[in-house]
Amino acid sequence: MTIRVYNTLTREKEGFVPLHGRRVSMFVCGLTGTTRGDAIANLLRQMNPCARPSSDRCFVNNFKNPDRPLLLTLPRGSANVLKREMSAAIDFFRRRIPQLFESESFERRKNRIVERYGQREKELMDEFTRRIGQQQFALVRVAVGPAALPEIVPLIENQPVPMEELPRLVQEGKLTQAAAEELRKHYEDFRQEFTSVYRKTLALSRELSGELNFLEQEASSTLVDGVLQELRDHYPQNEIAEYLEEVRLHILNNLEPFKQTDTGQERPEDVLLDRPLHSEQDPFRVYGVNVILSHENGPGCPVIFETVPTYANLFGSIQRSFETMGGWRSDFMDLRGGALLQADGGFLILYALDLLTERGVYRRDPPGLVFLGAPPAGAAGGPASPAWRRRAKRAAFFWAASWGNSILYQSPRPRDQERGWVPGSVLSKKHKKAL
């Protein structure tokens, strides 16, 4: 592309030809507010220099270590597509998995498993009840608050009597002291035996829960594997394939949120276990995709003009949300990229004066930060060369001081001298001639 500029001497538009090969020096002047930075940004956009195309980047949940999110690198223009496809996949699972668990075939298989374990538990309890019945004891349920707990009681005249009533019966002459002691002895033996039986029933309950979970995973795996396999075909990168495998395992091991329907009605087990109908934390947030860099405007290098170069605007930030139960929380969806990331593979334009006077930014990186960008393909002496970096650092101070702020080079910071930068002497001796 040929750039044509207006020559104030000849009063005509002429083709722009550099004086020294591919090297271009430019001095932009004007009062504050005359869009000096915008002029440079527009010029770079019109030139559209050949640069290395940068990839899309996004953060996803690390299911193995949630405190260390995964950064995925995708082909240019693919990050938002992955975000939409993952959201569509989760919405599909939320609709189809409840329907799958409500189907007749699934209910029949589930009922057979429940009946089998129920029969085994009934046999254990019937055998214990028969054995204690031979010694004139019975197993009854006693109300304790909202629940009813099993309790062993003796039968006196075919009527269940709590153990606490035995002393009264002895005083009234309805029961001898020896018979009462015999009942207490049998009661202690039966209590120990009942503890063993109760543990067996708890083990059966755990086995039942495990088999039902396996049944749900088996029924859901075909549905989940089919959808996620399509995503693997679209994104053959190894890191994305590994992430999708972690998503598959997490869904199959955490199907409870997917059982919830959008009817807003409480399920019987939620009422029994006193579960809240809605949780403050979205259980499907862990499957989200946080896009921090995307390219949907076609080819061309980005040109970013950062007018407020704060630390957060340049390097990014981590947002936080306050929970009603108290405390702050953040996760991978709260990460935000900065201007440095947005300018990847392109150009970042900054006012050096704002950059150097911003607290927390200048002390972390040298002033050459304003020149980050990709050189033209095949160009020699680009930003990767040490000589170019040295020139960039000196030029940053020179441009900042040429704007009329003498404090920058008359009062150098201590760390500048440690690095060998003495802006006062550099400007006064090496750059006056350039002015």
Side-chain angles (χ1 to χ4, degrees):
M1 174 184 176
T2 302
I3 300 178
R4 298 180 62 83
V5 296
Y6 181 76
N7 191 335
T8 57
L9 181 62
T10 61
R11 298 180 181 280
E12 294 181 355
K13 286 186 177 182
E14 301 176 0
F16 180 76
V17 179
L19 293 178
H20 307 286
R22 298 178 62 118
R23 180 180 176 184
V24 177
S25 299
M26 180 181 299
F27 179 76
V28 181
C29 61
L31 297 175
T32 301
T34 54
T35 65
R36 293 169 297 173
D38 288 333
I40 297 176
N42 292 332
L43 181 60
L44 288 173
R45 294 189 183 98
Q46 293 175 12
M47 292 175 59
N48 193 19
C50 180
R52 172 186 58 84
S54 59
S55 303
D56 285 5
R57 291 179 174 86
C58 60
F59 277 110
V60 294
N61 185 38
N62 185 347
F63 295 98
K64 295 180 179 178
N65 187 0
D67 292 333
R68 299 182 63 86
L70 301 177
L71 178 62
L72 300 182
T73 302
L74 296 94
R76 192 178 181 90
S78 301
N80 283 321
V81 177
L82 175 63
K83 179 179 180 179
R84 290 192 295 267
E85 290 180 344
M86 279 297 299
S87 178
I90 297 301
D91 290 340
F92 178 75
F93 295 151
R94 294 181 65 181
R95 294 193 308 269
R96 293 289 296 131
I97 290 179
Q99 297 175 4
L100 181 66
F101 292 159
E102 293 173 0
S103 63
E104 294 183 1
S105 59
F106 181 84
E107 287 291 339
R108 284 196 299 269
R109 297 176 61 184
K110 179 180 177 180
N111 291 336
R112 284 197 296 267
I113 295 174
V114 173
E115 290 176 359
R116 185 172 70 253
Y117 278 91
Q119 182 63 30
R120 292 174 58 183
E121 181 179 356
K122 184 176 181 299
E123 291 175 357
L124 282 174
M125 299 305 296
D126 289 347
E127 175 64 21
F128 178 75
T129 303
R130 183 187 62 80
R131 206 160 44 247
I132 65 175
Q134 295 175 353
Q135 300 295 330
Q136 300 299 314
F137 278 84
L139 188 65
V140 299
R141 290 191 172 273
V142 179
V144 179
L149 301 180
E151 179 62 31
I152 303 173
V153 295
L155 294 176
I156 300 177
E157 297 179 357
N158 293 328
Q159 295 296 326
V161 178
M163 292 296 297
E164 296 81 6
E165 298 291 330
L166 294 185
R168 181 180 62 83
L169 296 178
V170 172
Q171 292 178 357
E172 295 177 354
K174 297 181 179 180
L175 188 67
T176 64
Q177 186 65 33
E181 293 296 333
E182 185 71 16
L183 289 176
R184 289 192 183 93
K185 179 180 178 182
H186 287 303
Y187 175 77
E188 294 297 332
D189 295 340
F190 290 147
R191 283 198 62 181
Q192 295 180 3
E193 186 177 352
F194 179 71
T195 301
S196 176
V197 172
Y198 190 68
R199 288 176 180 174
K200 292 180 181 179
T201 59
L202 292 179
L204 287 177
S205 298
R206 288 192 293 268
E207 292 181 15
L208 173 62
S209 178
E211 191 161 345
L212 290 178
N213 289 336
F214 180 78
L215 175 64
E216 293 175 349
Q217 293 178 359
E218 183 183 23
S220 305
S221 61
T222 303
L223 180 68
V224 175
D225 292 347
V227 174
L228 295 183
Q229 184 59 44
E230 293 183 0
L231 292 178
R232 292 192 189 95
D233 296 339
H234 293 168
Y235 305 95
Q237 295 89 338
N238 291 334
E239 59 178 356
I240 300 180
E242 293 175 359
Y243 166 68
L244 292 176
E245 177 62 19
E246 293 297 327
V247 171
R248 186 187 74 86
L249 294 176
H250 191 271
I251 291 176
L252 294 180
N253 292 326
N254 298 272
L255 289 171
E256 190 64 30
F258 292 93
K259 298 178 185 179
Q260 306 286 345
T261 59
D262 296 332
T263 59
Q265 298 179 354
E266 295 178 333
R267 299 184 303 164
E269 54 267 36
D270 293 336
V271 178
L272 180 62
L273 299 177
D274 194 23
R275 295 174 179 169
L277 182 59
H278 297 288
S279 175
E280 181 182 5
Q281 175 68 20
D282 182 9
F284 305 102
R285 183 182 174 91
V286 294
Y287 308 113
V289 177
N290 181 16
V291 178
I292 59 173
L293 180 62
S294 63
H295 303 87
E296 295 184 344
N297 298 326
C301 63
V303 178
I304 305 299
F305 178 28
E306 181 55 62
T307 58
V308 186
T310 62
Y311 186 88
N313 289 348
L314 287 176
F315 299 99
S317 61
I318 302 177
Q319 297 182 349
R320 298 183 301 170
S321 58
F322 185 77
E323 296 181 337
T324 56
M325 299 298 294
W328 296 87
R329 63 170 301 276
S330 60
D331 57 16
F332 70 100
M333 293 295 290
D334 297 317
L335 301 175
R336 299 293 181 265
L340 277 173
L341 180 63
Q342 301 301 322
D344 183 27
F347 298 88
L348 174 60
I349 303 172
L350 302 165
Y351 285 131
L353 178 62
D354 296 337
L355 176 72
L356 299 180
T357 56
E358 180 65 35
R359 181 182 296 272
V361 176
Y362 166 59
R363 290 182 179 274
R364 290 183 176 269
D365 278 89
L369 174 69
V370 296
F371 293 94
L372 286 180
S385 64
W388 189 93
R389 293 179 181 176
R390 289 195 295 270
R391 291 196 299 271
K393 293 174 183 178
R394 291 197 297 269
F397 275 105
F398 170 67
W399 288 355
S402 68
W403 295 342
N405 191 337
S406 60
I407 299 178
L408 290 177
Y409 57 89
Q410 290 182 356
S411 302
R413 298 178 180 176
R415 292 191 63 183
D416 297 338
Q417 298 179 0
E418 295 175 5
R419 295 170 175 171
W421 302 342
V422 186
S425 60
V426 169
L427 288 172
S428 60
K429 295 180 180 179
K430 295 186 179 181
H431 292 299
K432 278 186 176 181
K433 188 176 180 180
L435 286 173

